[in-house]
Amino acid sequence: RRDRLTQMAMLLLRQNVMSLAVRAMSTQQKRASKTDLIKEMRARTSAPMKKCVDALKATDGDIEAAIDWLRKAGIASAHTKSSRGAHEGVIAAAEGKNALALVEINSETDFVARNSVFQALTTAIARSSLHFSRPEASAIVDELDVAAFTQSPLHGSNGATSIANAIAVAVSQLGENIVLRRAAVLMLPAQGVLSSYVHNTYTPGVGRSAAAVVLLSEAEDIDALRELGQQLAMHVVAAAPLALSKQDVDTARVQQERDILAAQAEVSGKPAHVIEKMVEGRLRKFYEEVALLEQQYVVDESAGNVKKVLKTASKALGAEVALGGFVRFQIGS
């Protein structure tokens, strides 16, 4: 009988040991599984580890639900920060087939603007704008509807994430208000080139100011056209024109300037016809400051104005070279 009791005791002991071993293995598997889930979440969302852990805990380890939870948490965080000013940030340029995009994303501080996650987001949004659905008869310069654009898929997410959600996650991750301020796409409707220049760069294609131009030409020397386009984009960054030609300058702005110049000229006490000539002369100076084609070419001041630079290039390349349009973005302007 004693031997039998001993055997029973040994059997129970073995069962307990096996049970503990199974539990230990299960715990290790759960830990390994949880670690894998956290790694996958970080790879898919770029969210901090603690937020990934919180999201998985809140959704009982369901990764898809956890990612949704994280996005909702990010959106909530974004709403709480949306009243805070965002006056820093970056401009990003992206080029595709017959299209070139510029976007401006604002942050609260230069510290976040220099962050690689923030810059990568801006670049992805710039690339997204190249694929944003626009009317077939788009203008050469197309300023995007930001509200509609933010609901479109983020480039590289395979349609799983909208730009708005990506910004919300970045707000949660970086702890600052982040705003997509503006976006524009330049289209090449005929032969020619698209060129851009980014100034004060953080990384290639990302900086504090940028410009893009459309050059229309049937010239065969595409490299020469591209070089001219880049130089003109540099000029646009430096000279900050308000319009392509003097005919394109806002009429209200022209009238405002005319009234100011007339008031200044009247102080001289000269006759009305003389004052009119004085106003017209000063108005030409105004156009030289704000209309791109009338501006002195800052890359080479000896070349004359931009209109003359294009005329010279047309002669050298054996085909007319025309400026179809431009865009200039600068942080804070």
Side-chain angles (χ1 to χ4, degrees):
R1 186 175 178 183
R2 187 179 296 170
D3 291 342
R4 186 164 185 163
L5 288 172
T6 301
Q7 288 176 353
M8 289 177 65
M10 290 295 291
L11 182 60
L12 288 170
L13 181 60
R14 275 192 208 129
Q15 289 176 342
N16 287 335
V17 170
M18 288 181 66
S19 177
L20 289 171
V22 169
R23 287 180 188 175
M25 287 178 64
S26 177
T27 301
Q28 288 177 352
Q29 288 174 348
K30 285 180 180 177
R31 284 176 182 168
S33 176
K34 186 176 179 182
T35 301
D36 290 340
L37 286 174
I38 293 170
K39 285 181 180 177
E40 185 178 347
M41 278 196 69
R42 280 178 58 75
R44 290 173 62 179
T45 67
S46 297
M49 183 178 291
K50 186 178 183 304
K51 290 193 176 290
C52 290
V53 172
D54 291 343
L56 287 166
K57 192 181 292 183
T59 56
D60 295 324
D62 184 332
I63 188 167
E64 297 301 330
I67 291 173
D68 286 342
W69 184 93
L70 194 62
R71 287 176 181 160
K72 289 175 183 176
I75 292 168
S77 177
H79 287 324
T80 62
K81 294 179 174 67
S82 62
S83 61
R84 286 157 40 176
H87 307 296
E88 288 292 335
V90 297
I91 312 294
E95 188 170 357
K97 185 179 180 181
N98 295 331
L100 198 158
L102 292 183
V103 301
E104 178 180 351
I105 311 290
N106 294 144
S107 60
E108 294 178 48
T109 65
D110 182 62
F111 178 76
V112 164
R114 293 175 181 274
N115 183 281
S116 59
V117 171
F118 180 81
Q119 292 172 10
L121 172 65
T122 307
T123 299
I125 292 174
R127 289 174 180 162
S128 302
S129 65
L130 296 171
H131 306 287
F132 181 59
S133 178
R134 294 182 297 277
E136 289 185 7
S138 293
I140 290 178
V141 179
D142 192 359
E143 295 184 6
L144 304 190
D145 180 337
V146 171
F149 177 45
T150 54
Q151 300 308 311
S152 64
L154 180 71
H155 176 82
S157 71
N158 294 320
T161 303
S162 70
I163 291 171
N165 278 345
I167 290 174
V169 171
V171 169
S172 176
Q173 181 178 1
L174 299 173
E176 285 194 6
N177 186 21
I178 295 173
V179 177
L180 171 56
R181 183 185 175 197
R182 51 186 171 172
V185 176
L186 282 78
M187 306 296 294
L188 185 61
Q191 286 181 273
V193 297
L194 294 160
S195 297
S196 64
Y197 172 72
V198 180
H199 190 59
N200 288 335
T201 56
Y202 294 122
T203 59
V206 178
R208 291 189 59 81
S209 58
V213 301
V214 181
L215 280 182
L216 304 174
S217 178
E218 295 182 359
E220 295 180 358
D221 193 342
I222 299 300
D223 291 338
L225 274 178
R226 287 189 185 281
E227 184 179 356
L228 175 61
Q230 187 176 38
Q231 290 175 345
L232 285 167
M234 290 172 66
H235 169 93
V236 171
V237 167
L242 299 179
L244 178 60
S245 68
K246 60 184 182 181
Q247 290 79 14
D248 296 323
V249 180
D250 182 67
T251 54
R253 177 70 187 272
V254 174
Q255 187 58 51
Q256 180 187 29
E257 191 68 19
R258 185 184 291 277
D259 292 343
I260 292 171
L261 294 174
Q264 291 173 346
E266 285 172 2
V267 176
S268 67
K270 294 181 179 180
H273 70 280
V274 175
I275 289 175
E276 181 62 26
K277 288 181 180 179
M278 290 172 64
V279 169
E280 291 302 319
R282 292 175 184 177
L283 204 56
R284 281 195 295 273
K285 181 66 176 175
F286 166 72
Y287 285 130
E288 288 174 5
E289 292 175 354
V290 301
L292 176 54
L293 293 175
E294 307 299 324
Q295 290 180 330
Q296 286 296 115
Y297 190 43
V298 298
V299 177
D300 180 5
E301 293 182 356
S302 66
N305 62 19
V306 172
K307 189 189 296 182
K308 187 175 180 182
V309 169
L310 292 171
K311 188 175 180 181
T312 302
S314 299
K315 195 171 182 180
L317 294 172
E320 184 182 1
V321 180
L323 253 174
F326 76 94
V327 172
R328 180 185 185 275
F329 285 175
Q330 179 175 333
I331 296 297
S333 68

